[in-house]
Amino acid sequence: MKNQKQKPKAKSMAALHVRVAVDLVEELDALAAAAGKTRADLMRDALAGHCQASKMLEQAEQRHAAIVQILEEHERRRMSEKLLRDEDSNSIYQAIEALADILGIEKQQESKR
């Protein structure tokens, strides 16, 4: 019973698709006539435009990836330099503490530093 109900629905959907396709072809023919071209010419133009847009998109994505890579490298370099500065500061502080120990100077309270 269920299969019998689906057949008319499938036929009506197929008929709808055919009507839409016919309408689209008629619209394309009207556009082609208005432009003084054939349907095939319009489709070639559309395909060429699509290909050009795809190439432009690919180039934009490549430029974006290059910019992201540059920014990431810049951030890595900045973090590396910061770590080196922190290590240098820490080494200097440790050297001062060691010198103070050698000279017998007591370390001041942390809050005064």
Side-chain angles (χ1 to χ4, degrees), residues 93 96-98 100-101 104-110 112-113:
Y93 179 73
I96 292 170
E97 282 185 334
D101 287 344
I105 301 171
E106 286 188 33
K107 189 164 77 170
Q108 294 179 350
Q109 290 179 346
E110 292 289 325
K112 291 184 179 179
R113 265 196 317 160

Side-chain angles (χ1 to χ4, degrees), residues 83-95:
L83 288 173
L84 287 174
R85 282 193 307 273
D86 290 350
E87 289 174 5
D88 289 346
S89 297
N90 196 24
S91 297
I92 291 169
Y93 179 73
Q94 289 174 352

Side-chain angles (χ1 to χ4, degrees), residues 29-96:
D29 286 343
L31 288 171
K37 296 183 175 191
T38 65
R39 185 187 320 158
D41 290 337
L42 284 184
M43 291 178 8
R44 270 193 294 280
D45 292 349
L47 182 59
H50 174 73
C51 290
Q52 184 178 8
S54 293
K55 288 176 186 176
M56 290 172 62
L57 176 62
E58 185 177 330
Q59 291 171 349
E61 288 172 344
Q62 289 172 351
R63 285 191 300 269
H64 178 265
I67 290 169
V68 167
Q69 185 178 3
I70 290 168
L71 291 173
E72 287 173 346
E73 180 60 33
H74 177 73
E75 182 64 16
R76 278 193 293 275
R77 194 175 307 120
R78 189 182 71 75
M79 291 302 294
S80 178
E81 290 170 357
K82 182 185 181 309
L83 288 173
L84 287 174
R85 282 193 307 273
D86 290 350
E87 289 174 5
D88 289 346
S89 297
N90 196 24
S91 297
I92 291 169
Y93 179 73
Q94 289 174 352
I96 292 170

